[in-house]
Amino acid sequence: MNDVAAAAGLSRTTVSKFFNGSATLKPDTREKIERACRALNYVPDLHAVSLVTGRSNLVGVVLPFIAEPFFGKVLQLMEREAAALGLQIVIQASNNDTRREAAALMALRAMKVHGIILTPIESNDNRALLASLQKEMRIVFLDSFMDENCHFVMNDNHQSIGLMVNYLLSRNVRPAYLGTPRIANPSRPERMAGYIAAMKAAGETPEVIPVAVDTPTWQFEAFAYEQLLNWCGQGGLRESGAGAIMCTTDRMAFGAAKALRKFGRHPGKDMLLAGHDNLDICEYMDPQLTTVHQDIERISQAAMHFIQLDPAELGGRLYQQRFAGRLVIRESA
Amino acid sequence: MNDVAAAAGLSRTTVSKFFNGSATLKPDTREKIERACRALNYVPDLHAVSLVTGRSNLVGVVLPFIAEPFFGKVLQLMEREAAALGLQIVIQASNNDTRREAAALMALRAMKVHGIILTPIESNDNRALLASLQKEMRIVFLDSFMDENCHFVMNDNHQSIGLMVNYLLSRNVRPAYLGTPRIANPSRPERMAGYIAAMKAAGETPEVIPVAVDTPTWQFEAFAYEQLLNWCGQGGLRESGAGAIMCTTDRMAFGAAKALRKFGRHPGKDMLLAGHDNLDICEYMDPQLTTVHQDIERISQAAMHFIQLDPAELGGRLYQQRFAGRLVIRESA
DNA sequence: CTGAAAGCGCTTACAG
DNA sequence: CTGAAAGCGCTTACAG
């Protein structure tokens, strides 16, 4: 910066003002600085800036897994938002390990990140840590949270599940429900409750497919495949009278389809099948998967919007947003 | 840090040594410091550390897209490596836009990142920028590069494609080849050359499916679907005599399967179908996709290994690694 | 609109 | 093994 100031024949203060967007600089001065920067290939040292200002242009994102298609898409959308705001994303995966999650959070704190976007693991291990962190920095929960007393952005599960139940009923089939493994809070109970409520509202008896092993796995396809195989093996298909299997995620529907085929069924023909999320790959499954689109565009936008929000604007209120899903009808139902 | 030093009754120098892993501290001293840190909930300010040391624990990763399943998986694996090395990943997506790519690179430079892992866009726009950046910082190319004069880690395309050609020939079918859209350099020409070479070596005539519009798209499924639809529509299926469609990526195989079905073919039965990469979803396609597994575990590891390598260890040599693929036989071929 | 000065929280020789 | 001092590259009142 000294060099730039010297080359431009100005003081460091003036150069600093230039980078902080001061409107009081003469066009002439600006140009001199721009020229000097270009000549010296100068870019301000962000660590020095962060040290003195006490904040950085970094935003931390902590997700259970990065390669999970839903999270991958959300991350990509958030990156676009971040870039537009001049923010950089530091990405960490907790890998469903509470210690990794805690370490990631602490590292982000040491970096004085602008804020944190977090999809927490379903566990109480980091409850205290999170509670104290929430006091000193901006933290918004995405898709999942510990308790209602936080900022969050997520899908409107009640609405989106209701949409699918009613659509399936309108096709004159009774959907049996296959729920998520024990990982996503509060989406798991919310979606289940949404299914039950919508069925009852329509005067139908809900049928939740029993889950043999309720381990907190992220292998949705394998989980659904095994649970449904089990159910079919025990005569569930015969006894149930359900005309559709309604899954809480697309990935589960992919596993369910495989299990149905194994039992000689043709998903979309003699047994309707529905997912939830609208992953890109749905269009290329056979049959193409009918699902509900989560509004990940707005979810991602809202999360990043919160990060750059001046806390004063919230006026002490909690930032809590739920976005409505949209039915996407394809071949499977 | 002053507070910690005071609380522990020591000087800042000593506390600093503690964090920099000096072995010359008395156990007694260490414990005092640890206690003080815990009491004060202290973590060193990384920006101050970076400012004075001139380097950070940040590593920049620039990919064309984050939600691309292959990149998502690689990113996840790299994050795990980074965490183990005490590094943090700053992720940026170029979105196939050279200006975004240039901006990402400059931002990473301003952050004094430890190094950059880059999958460049196929374009010459940032050639000069990259050349100058390569001189001042560690940059390793992943899966793709501009010219051979760089550090890179990637799949051994010649080997992996040859593997599939020979497998298909061993099943007594002649594979026609559907190549990647114009985006991946040098993988696209390498794989094509690998196919042609393997066919010729086996005494067979190569058959490359002509591509109508060679736009640089990342919509692999849609691209393959359209190209194959075109080809089938023009009687390619009838005239070719090929017994298998060999695709350069799994995602293309998904699109190809859809096109084949549209023309009344049954992938895996009356027309074999093969992919490349071994995405997780392959197992849940119908038919399950036969493919070749890219060794993304080692590719990711090697990339991160390079980042934390002391340049002196290279002794001026280029770090260039190609990893062999592995055949994964399922139902489609 | 511009300049001189203090300070952000650390590390690193250097001296003891 | 520990302490006093300088300095990393910026920003921010403050004075002109």
Side-chain angles (χ1 to χ4, degrees):
Chain A
M1 186 152 155
N2 264 325
D3 301 341
V4 172
L10 297 161
S11 75
R12 283 154 57 210
T13 311
T14 311
V15 177
S16 174
K17 282 207 179 120
F18 170 80
F19 282 108
N20 293 293
S22 169
T24 60
L25 289 184
K26 287 194 260 185
D28 181 42
T29 311
R30 312 187 78 90
E31 204 186 309
K32 269 192 217 154
I33 297 177
E34 277 164 16
R35 200 163 23 227
C37 288
R38 219 169 306 127
L40 295 162
N41 208 6
Y42 170 84
V43 175
D45 182 309
L46 291 179
H47 297 295
V49 175
S50 295
L51 175 58
V52 61
T53 60
R55 61 196 134 72
S56 70
N57 63 335
L58 262 27
V59 13
V61 174
V62 184
L63 301 171
F65 292 97
I66 299 168
E68 215 284 320
F70 175 77
F71 289 133
K73 198 83 185 214
V74 169
L75 180 57
Q76 176 162 306
L77 291 167
M78 291 196 298
E79 195 277 343
R80 194 178 61 183
E81 292 299 315
L85 296 167
L87 298 170
Q88 313 290 338
I89 290 181
V90 175
I91 180 68
Q92 316 237 27
S94 59
N95 282 294
N96 219 28
D97 173 345
T98 53
R99 275 172 320 191
R100 272 288 293 124
E101 186 178 78
L105 259 11
M106 290 307 281
L108 259 15
R109 177 168 172 265
M111 282 187 227
K112 289 205 167 36
V113 292
H114 209 81
I116 295 180
I117 299 171
L118 167 69
T119 298
I121 296 170
E122 182 162 345
S123 154
N124 286 321
D125 293 10
N126 293 329
R127 236 202 166 85
L129 173 63
L130 275 169
S132 86
L133 249 35
Q134 277 173 288
K135 277 173 208 144
E136 60 176 281
M137 51 203 308
R138 297 185 183 100
I139 301 190
V140 62
F141 292 79
L142 188 149
D143 195 53
S144 180
F145 53 73
M146 314 252 78
D147 60 70
E148 286 270 351
N149 186 26
C150 70
H151 307 291
F152 68 75
V153 290
M154 67 185 300
N155 179 60
D156 184 342
N157 290 308
H158 208 273
Q159 179 268 352
S160 66
I161 289 289
L163 221 49
M164 183 56 83
V165 169
N166 291 324
Y167 167 67
L168 293 170
L169 290 175
S170 80
R171 297 210 40 188
N172 292 316
V173 296
R174 204 167 48 74
Y177 180 88
L178 183 58
T180 325
R182 192 160 51 77
I183 44 160
N185 195 43
S187 285
R188 192 174 65 121
E190 278 179 8
R191 291 186 189 182
M192 171 94 77
Y195 165 75
I196 293 172
M199 288 293 275
K200 286 191 176 157
E204 297 283 344
T205 313
E207 178 180 9
V208 174
I209 295 174
V211 163
V213 224
D214 200 8
T215 44
T217 179
W218 280 82
Q219 311 275 346
F220 292 126
E221 296 91 351
F223 174 82
Y225 176 67
E226 282 158 28
Q227 299 309 322
L228 210 54
L229 227 47
N230 237 311
W231 185 67
C232 294
Q234 290 168 8
L237 222 37
R238 237 181 9 252
E239 295 160 19
S240 138
I245 307 288
M246 179 170 160
C247 299
T248 30
T249 74
D250 290 341
R251 291 181 58 197
M252 292 181 59
F254 304 153
K258 188 168 168 179
L260 287 172
R261 275 183 235 116
K262 199 139 187 171
F263 273 81
R265 293 295 184 112
H266 299 87
K269 303 223 169 88
D270 49 20
M271 177 61 85
L272 302 192
L273 180 67
H276 188 287
D277 293 351
N278 195 28
L279 302 181
D280 290 342
I281 196 71
C282 288
E283 259 187 276
Y284 292 91
M285 302 306 288
D286 181 32
Q288 293 174 45
L289 192 67
T290 289
T291 187
V292 8
H293 179 81
Q294 276 203 53
D295 199 345
I296 49 175
E297 294 79 8
R298 292 176 67 193
I299 290 176
S300 309
Q301 236 165 27
M304 204 51 78
H305 175 70
F306 170 81
I307 294 299
Q308 56 82 253
L309 213 58
D310 183 340
E313 286 185 56
L314 281 173
R317 287 187 309 274
L318 289 170
Y319 183 84
Q320 302 190 328
Q321 314 243 11
R322 289 184 182 269
F323 296 101
R326 185 184 83 233
L327 198 60
V328 180
I329 300 171
R330 296 203 181 88
E331 301 172 346
S332 75
Chain B
M1 186 154 153
N2 264 326
D3 301 340
V4 173
L10 298 161
S11 77
R12 283 155 56 210
T13 311
T14 311
V15 177
S16 175
K17 283 208 178 118
F18 169 81
F19 282 108
N20 293 293
S22 169
T24 60
L25 289 184
K26 287 194 261 188
D28 180 42
T29 313
R30 310 186 81 88
E31 205 187 308
K32 268 191 217 155
I33 297 177
E34 277 165 16
R35 201 166 21 228
C37 288
R38 218 169 307 127
L40 294 161
N41 207 5
Y42 171 83
V43 175
D45 182 308
L46 292 179
H47 296 295
V49 175
S50 295
L51 176 58
V52 63
T53 61
R55 61 195 134 71
S56 71
N57 63 336
L58 262 27
V59 14
V61 174
V62 184
L63 301 171
F65 291 98
I66 299 169
E68 215 285 320
F70 175 78
F71 290 132
K73 198 84 185 211
V74 168
L75 180 58
Q76 177 162 305
L77 291 167
M78 292 196 297
E79 195 276 342
R80 194 178 60 184
E81 293 298 314
L85 296 166
L87 298 170
Q88 314 290 339
I89 289 181
V90 175
I91 180 68
Q92 317 237 28
S94 58
N95 282 293
N96 218 29
D97 173 345
T98 54
R99 276 173 319 190
R100 271 287 295 125
E101 187 179 76
L105 258 11
M106 289 307 282
L108 259 14
R109 176 168 172 267
M111 282 186 225
K112 291 206 168 33
V113 292
H114 209 82
I116 295 180
I117 299 172
L118 167 68
T119 298
I121 296 169
E122 182 163 345
S123 154
N124 285 321
D125 293 10
N126 294 329
R127 233 197 169 90
L129 173 62
L130 274 169
S132 86
L133 249 33
Q134 276 172 288
K135 278 174 208 144
E136 60 176 281
M137 50 203 308
R138 297 185 182 101
I139 301 190
V140 62
F141 291 81
L142 188 149
D143 194 54
S144 180
F145 53 74
M146 314 252 78
D147 61 69
E148 286 271 352
N149 185 28
C150 70
H151 308 290
F152 68 74
V153 291
M154 64 186 300
N155 179 60
D156 184 343
N157 290 309
H158 209 271
Q159 178 268 350
S160 66
I161 289 289
L163 221 49
M164 183 57 83
V165 170
N166 290 324
Y167 166 69
L168 292 171
L169 290 175
S170 80
R171 296 210 44 187
N172 292 317
V173 295
R174 202 166 50 72
Y177 180 88
L178 184 58
T180 326
R182 192 160 52 76
I183 44 160
N185 196 43
S187 285
R188 191 175 65 122
E190 278 179 7
R191 292 187 187 182
M192 170 94 76
Y195 164 76
I196 292 172
M199 289 292 276
K200 286 191 174 157
E204 297 281 346
T205 311
E207 177 178 9
V208 174
I209 295 174
V211 163
V213 225
D214 200 9
T215 44
T217 178
W218 280 83
Q219 312 274 346
F220 292 126
E221 296 91 350
F223 174 82
Y225 176 66
E226 280 159 29
Q227 300 310 321
L228 211 53
L229 226 46
N230 236 310
W231 186 66
C232 294
Q234 290 168 9
L237 221 39
R238 236 182 9 253
E239 294 159 18
S240 139
I245 306 288
M246 178 169 162
C247 299
T248 31
T249 73
D250 290 342
R251 291 181 58 196
M252 290 179 59
F254 305 152
K258 188 167 168 179
L260 288 171
R261 274 182 236 115
K262 199 138 187 173
F263 273 80
R265 294 293 185 114
H266 299 88
K269 302 221 169 90
D270 49 20
M271 178 60 85
L272 302 192
L273 180 67
H276 189 288
D277 294 350
N278 194 28
L279 302 181
D280 290 342
I281 195 73
C282 289
E283 260 187 273
Y284 292 91
M285 301 306 287
D286 181 32
Q288 293 175 43
L289 193 67
T290 290
T291 188
V292 9
H293 178 81
Q294 276 203 53
D295 199 346
I296 48 174
E297 294 78 8
R298 291 176 67 194
I299 290 176
S300 309
Q301 237 164 27
M304 205 50 79
H305 175 70
F306 170 81
I307 295 298
Q308 56 82 252
L309 213 58
D310 184 341
E313 286 185 59
L314 281 173
R317 288 187 309 277
L318 289 171
Y319 183 85
Q320 301 191 328
Q321 314 244 10
R322 287 184 184 271
F323 296 100
R326 184 184 83 233
L327 199 60
V328 180
I329 300 171
R330 296 202 180 89
E331 302 172 345
S332 75

